[in-house]
Amino acid sequence: APGWLRRLCGHLLSERLLRPSGVQAVVRGVLEGTDGEISAAVVGGAGAEAAALDWRKCDAVGKILTACPQQCLSLEDYYRQVCPQILDLLHMQDKVAARQFQRVATTTVLSMAREQPQLAERHLLQPLLAPLRRCSEDTELALEDLTAGAVLVPEAELGSCVEDVLKVFVVGNDSSSLLLGSLQPVLGVVFSLYSFARQNVSYLRSSCQDILLWFLEKAEREQSLAVLEGLAGLSSHVPTLHPQCQLRVGSEGGAAIVVQETISDEDEALYQKISLEQCHVESLVELLSHCQKSGLAGDFFIHCLKELAQVAAEDEAAPSPAVEPAGSLLELEQDQARQGRKLLVLQLVAALCQGVSDSVFTDIVQVQQFLAAVLQRACAHPARGPGAAAEAQTLAMAMGLVAAVLGGAVQLQSSDFAVLKRLVPLLEELSRTYPEPLTQELASDLRVAILTHGACSPGTLGTAAHGLLGRQPGTAARSPAGRAPSPPAQGDSSTGRSRGREPGASPAPCATSLAPGGLQELLVSACDPQPPSRAAALRRLASLVTQRHPEAIQLQEKLLQVFLENVQHEDAFVYLSAIQGVALLSSEYPERILPVLLAQYERPAQGKEDTMAAVTRMKLGEVLMRVTRALGDMVFRHREPLIRAFLRGARDPDGALRASSLSNLGELCQHLGFQLGSIIQEVTCCVTAIARTDPEAEVRRAAVHVVVLLLRGLSEKVTEVLRDVLLDLYRLLKHVATAERDAATVLHAQLALEELDSAVRRVLFPPQTLEKKIVVLP
């Protein structure tokens, strides 16, 4: 176009833009007909090109709105006139044009923030975040003029503000320092709203979660950790909701912010405060569960561990005013604040261990930082006093983690060993200064293994770790079982160095062989009253079974007896270790071990021990299922005794055992598949009777679940294997789906009907395949 035409069009466009509602008129004029073009393009198959054209038009409109026209007196006046209209574009009621208007508004806000950050902050971002800033802790509220229960931020305004923040920050996805800096002061209010929405039914929960996660992912790691620390209440980096403000459930599924009512009862006020803190900790842990892949959860966990060590050190160094009567009131308040901070850190660490500990560390650097935090604590404050046992167990677990990493649990590269070498000074200090000789020995061996990149793994690693787990401070001269220790081997050192070698000699390579009498010592430790020592011995015995150790093979029956005795133990770590040992022993020697297990599983409960016997039988059922999975196709040889045992368990008076037996029966049938044979008649009769007549919903649910697993295991062979009982199963499932009162049982029946329907459809309507055939004509 000629220059005069462009200048004239620009003049007319700017003139219209400065009039009332001029922004909306300009946007409508430029984007007119775009929706129709996109719809036609999608029908014609050119949707991607049309969407790109739509984006370009929206960007063009954003550039037009960002540029100040020549007719305007100043840039400040232009922003003052245009910015409120730009924010109004986010609230368009016309559903057809709302998507484009919101895109234009987001693009314009981001463009103005890049070109004029100060003006954009003043005229766009601050008005956008005003409802959240109004109730922030940093804001001075004139609450004396407001009565209790007065609404500060109405539900509609708060919901609209959260949605606008989501559209501009998260959807716009521009992680500039201006946007992150403007959003950080209101994150505390957003987090309070997120925590409130978790406890109630509110549509704001997902929006608040997306906003918080976006900031934590886009900000620098130090800034994200500082924000998390502020959200947890450990610092004042993030202003929280004003203490005199309160969130209230809205009538439209949102929330409103009101003036908090004064609570006269001190106990009730304390209860509400503690409940709110607990809710915030749980919300923070749930938020961090979505940040594990990025490593932020692991970094914050390590940060909390370091904070715990620092608080504990301050607590030991600072005198307590309660002990010293001369302490002033200020010192007393400081001590209370320090104790409250310590309790909060402990609560955070416990919640993180429970909520995100399964995959909290994503790389070897985080593992090293975690271990360094524990080892530094052990070097600075050796295990003494009332909490010595817990500290010793924590140190043993940390050193066991190092041994597991070096032992092949993680595939290590040379760069990983370079990271682990940062632990060498701490391990060396532990080997010299720690009061426990066994810990000194293990620390020395770990140091050698790291320095040699795992080439020299001393054989004392396993036994030393085992002893550490079962030993408490001050008992180094006695064995875990409380008996006098065996005489030390020749060459033992009083400083706790590795047996059988001089201090400067190279460590012997790790071997699977045991020292003379080593298996007997493990069997004795498997009866130790301390659960950690007992569990460690059971794990070691299980590993000997896996390695087919000659002495372990000879003592199969003794090992089975020890494992079965520990299956009845109340500690979860102990009986799970015993279950693993029995399963490994049974899978290695099924012909000898399975009959013993089946006899104990079928043994009926008697007398006062009915409940305990039922629990033990359920644990044995778990053992039998682990053996079934380990045997694979070889389980066919033991098909009949296994199914007979589970069918008998399904008629037991204890409802939990009946449900457990049915669950095991279903998984066994899924494994057997085509090899079920005529036994399917007995299984079908049992399941049908239980699903129709059992008084407990949990048992009926398990019976229907057997059918689900059976159909899922047979897959396409359903009609072939179940041809005699297929009609009976179908009638059973239809009866359960229509007459059952338990919702979960009905769901299982519907799933089974879907499995049956898909299997029959695959048989009746096999998928058509296209084949290319080449025929040679004569």
Side-chain angles (χ1 to χ4, degrees):
W4 64 269
L5 181 59
R6 282 187 277 110
R7 286 191 298 271
L8 180 59
C9 290
H11 180 78
L12 295 175
L13 187 63
S14 302
E15 200 175 82
R16 183 67 186 92
L17 185 63
L18 296 176
R19 295 181 183 178
S21 302
V23 172
Q24 188 176 139
V26 170
V27 174
R28 287 186 181 275
V30 177
L31 299 179
E32 185 176 2
T34 305
D35 284 333
E37 295 174 7
I38 291 179
S39 300
V42 170
V43 174
E49 297 180 3
L53 177 62
D54 184 34
W55 271 108
R56 285 196 294 270
K57 283 191 175 183
C58 292
D59 290 341
V61 176
K63 292 178 181 178
I64 292 173
L65 297 178
T66 303
C68 178
Q70 297 180 356
Q71 293 91 330
C72 199
L73 297 177
S74 67
L75 195 60
E76 180 82 24
D77 293 336
Y78 174 70
Y79 271 69
R80 187 180 297 110
Q81 294 181 34
V82 171
C83 288
Q85 299 184 50
I86 294 174
L87 295 179
D88 289 339
L89 296 179
L90 296 169
H91 310 140
M92 290 293 298
Q93 300 298 323
D94 186 3
K95 294 183 179 180
V96 178
R99 182 175 59 87
Q100 291 181 325
F101 277 75
Q102 292 171 7
R103 183 179 299 171
V104 169
T106 301
T107 305
T108 306
V109 171
L110 298 180
S111 179
M112 287 183 170
R114 283 192 298 268
E115 297 190 9
Q116 299 293 335
Q118 294 181 353
L119 294 176
E121 170 76 17
R122 188 181 311 127
H123 297 287
L124 280 175
L125 299 179
Q126 288 185 4
L128 177 67
L129 302 171
L132 299 175
R133 289 177 176 270
R134 193 182 311 159
C135 52
S136 176
E137 188 180 19
D138 286 350
T139 306
E140 295 182 3
L141 299 176
L143 298 179
E144 61 275 2
D145 299 333
L146 299 174
T147 59
V151 178
L152 288 177
V153 183
E155 177 187 4
E157 185 181 2
L158 184 61
S160 176
C161 177
V162 172
E163 293 298 326
D164 291 347
V165 173
L166 183 70
K167 295 169 187 175
V168 173
F169 289 84
V170 181
V171 178
N173 199 23
D174 186 348
S175 56
S176 63
S177 58
L178 174 64
L179 294 175
L180 293 174
S182 62
L183 184 60
Q184 182 171 342
V186 300
L187 286 178
V189 181
V190 176
F191 179 72
S192 298
L193 186 57
Y194 167 69
S195 182
F196 176 80
R198 282 186 67 250
Q199 302 297 113
N200 304 275
V201 179
S202 176
Y203 67 89
L204 296 175
R205 175 181 177 178
S206 59
S207 300
C208 294
Q209 177 178 304
D210 292 341
I211 293 170
L212 293 168
L213 291 177
W214 177 83
F215 182 92
L216 294 175
E217 291 175 0
K218 297 299 179 181
E220 296 291 336
R221 183 54 54 92
E222 292 78 9
Q223 187 179 9
S224 299
L225 291 175
V227 167
L228 287 173
E229 190 178 5
L231 297 179
L234 297 176
S235 68
S236 57
H237 291 98
V238 180
T240 59
L241 186 68
H242 198 281
Q244 294 182 339
C245 293
Q246 181 182 8
L247 289 163
R248 179 179 295 174
V249 178
S251 59
E252 301 297 329
I257 300 178
V258 300
V259 179
Q260 188 176 15
E261 299 179 357
T262 304
I263 302 176
S264 57
D265 189 358
E266 295 183 359
D267 293 339
E268 180 65 21
L270 180 61
Y271 172 76
Q272 290 193 9
K273 180 183 178 182
I274 294 175
S275 300
L276 183 62
E277 291 178 354
Q278 178 67 25
C279 180
H280 282 183
V281 170
E282 294 175 356
S283 301
L284 186 65
V285 172
E286 182 178 347
L287 197 66
L288 285 172
S289 66
H290 301 282
C291 304
Q292 298 190 59
K293 292 183 179 179
S294 63
L296 180 60
D299 289 344
F300 185 68
F301 185 41
I302 296 169
H303 178 77
C304 289
L305 288 176
K306 294 179 179 178
E307 188 70 24
L308 180 61
Q310 181 179 357
V311 170
E314 293 176 357
D315 187 62
E316 292 178 359
S320 176
V323 179
E324 298 183 7
S328 64
L329 182 61
L330 178 61
E331 292 176 347
L332 181 61
E333 291 179 353
Q334 291 176 351
D335 179 72
Q336 290 179 348
R338 185 168 56 252
Q339 294 299 327
R341 182 182 179 85
K342 181 179 180 179
L343 291 175
L344 181 58
V345 173
L346 283 170
Q347 187 180 16
L348 268 174
V349 172
L352 287 171
C353 290
Q354 184 177 6
V356 297
S357 59
D358 53 345
S359 57
V360 66
F361 297 136
T362 57
D363 54 21
I364 196 69
V365 176
Q366 290 183 332
V367 175
Q368 179 269 326
Q369 292 176 350
F370 165 72
L371 295 171
V374 177
L375 296 179
Q376 284 175 356
R377 170 67 178 166
C379 292
H381 307 281
R384 298 189 183 93
E391 292 182 4
Q393 292 294 335
T394 304
L395 177 61
M397 292 298 179
M399 299 179 77
L401 177 58
V402 180
V405 170
L406 295 173
V410 180
Q411 192 67 28
L412 295 177
Q413 307 294 332
S414 58
S415 58
D416 298 331
F417 280 103
V419 174
L420 289 176
K421 284 182 180 178
R422 302 171 190 169
L423 300 174
V424 169
L426 296 172
L427 292 171
E428 184 176 2
E429 185 176 355
L430 274 180
S431 65
R432 290 186 292 101
T433 62
Y434 201 77
E436 272 285 326
L438 195 58
T439 304
Q440 293 181 3
E441 182 180 2
L442 182 57
S444 177
D445 291 342
L446 289 174
R447 172 178 168 273
V448 171
I450 292 175
L451 291 175
T452 59
H453 287 205
C456 294
S457 297
T460 55
L461 284 182
T463 56
H466 159 67
L468 268 177
L469 286 172
R471 185 171 297 178
Q472 294 185 3
T475 60
R478 300 186 65 85
S479 65
R483 285 171 285 273
S486 57
Q490 187 175 0
D492 278 7
S493 172
S494 60
T495 59
R497 296 192 178 272
S498 302
R499 296 178 177 86
R501 68 170 191 266
E502 295 298 324
S506 300
C510 180
T512 59
S513 60
L514 284 174
L519 184 58
Q520 296 297 331
E521 291 182 3
L522 287 178
L523 291 174
V524 171
S525 297
C527 303
D528 193 279
Q530 296 293 333
S533 176
R534 181 179 292 209
L538 293 173
R539 296 276 179 174
R540 179 63 176 152
L541 289 173
S543 66
L544 292 178
V545 172
T546 306
Q547 298 165 5
R548 293 181 176 270
H549 193 275
E551 195 174 352
I553 295 176
Q554 295 177 359
L555 298 177
Q556 291 179 30
E557 297 181 358
K558 181 64 175 178
L559 292 178
L560 178 61
Q561 181 183 358
V562 170
F563 284 138
L564 290 178
E565 289 177 356
N566 283 280
V567 164
Q568 303 178 19
H569 199 276
E570 59 182 5
D571 187 82
F573 192 38
V574 173
Y575 74 69
L576 286 176
S577 302
I579 286 176
Q580 181 185 8
V582 178
L584 288 173
L585 194 63
S586 304
S587 60
E588 293 289 339
Y589 314 103
E591 302 294 341
R592 300 181 182 177
I593 307 300
L594 267 182
V596 180
L597 293 180
L598 290 171
Q600 293 212 7
Y601 184 78
E602 297 178 17
R603 182 179 302 167
Q606 298 176 355
K608 300 179 180 180
E609 301 297 331
D610 288 1
T611 305
M612 191 61 193
V615 172
T616 303
R617 291 175 67 187
M618 283 189 283
K619 294 176 183 177
L620 289 176
E622 171 64 22
V623 173
L624 292 174
M625 291 320 302
R626 292 194 183 194
V627 175
T628 300
R629 300 186 197 108
L631 289 177
D633 293 338
M634 295 298 295
V635 76
F636 175 73
R637 297 185 57 185
H638 312 280
R639 174 190 64 173
E640 294 186 3
L642 283 171
I643 290 184
R644 183 171 61 249
F646 292 143
L647 287 176
R648 289 181 179 176
R651 296 193 297 270
D652 194 85
D654 186 83
L657 182 59
R658 294 202 304 275
S660 174
S661 299
L662 287 171
S663 176
N664 297 335
L665 178 64
E667 188 171 351
L668 178 60
C669 291
Q670 186 180 18
H671 280 290
L672 287 173
F674 191 72
Q675 299 173 338
L676 277 169
S678 60
I679 268 179
I680 190 61
Q681 295 283 354
E682 299 180 35
V683 175
T684 304
C685 292
C686 176
V687 169
T688 303
I690 292 176
R692 288 178 179 271
T693 62
D694 199 279
E696 297 189 22
E698 183 182 8
V699 182
R700 299 196 302 273
R701 191 183 311 161
V704 178
H705 187 58
V706 172
V707 183
V708 178
L709 294 176
L710 184 61
L711 297 175
R712 195 171 294 167
L714 292 173
S715 186
E716 298 179 356
K717 298 179 181 180
V718 166
T719 55
E720 184 178 354
V721 179
L722 303 180
R723 59 180 179 271
D724 297 330
V725 298
L726 196 58
L727 182 58
D728 296 335
L729 291 178
Y730 175 74
R731 288 172 177 169
L732 171 65
L733 295 174
K734 293 296 289 185
H735 168 76
V736 173
T738 55
E740 177 62 47
R741 291 169 299 186
D742 182 58
T745 308
V746 174
L747 177 61
H748 281 302
Q750 292 173 348
L751 292 175
L753 286 172
E754 291 178 3
E755 290 282 348
L756 185 59
D757 179 72
S758 60
V760 174
R761 285 180 181 274
R762 284 194 298 268
V763 174
L764 296 179
F765 309 105
Q768 297 181 357
T769 57
L770 299 177
E771 297 180 359
K772 180 186 291 186
K773 291 186 178 180
I774 300 176
V775 179
V776 180
L777 297 176

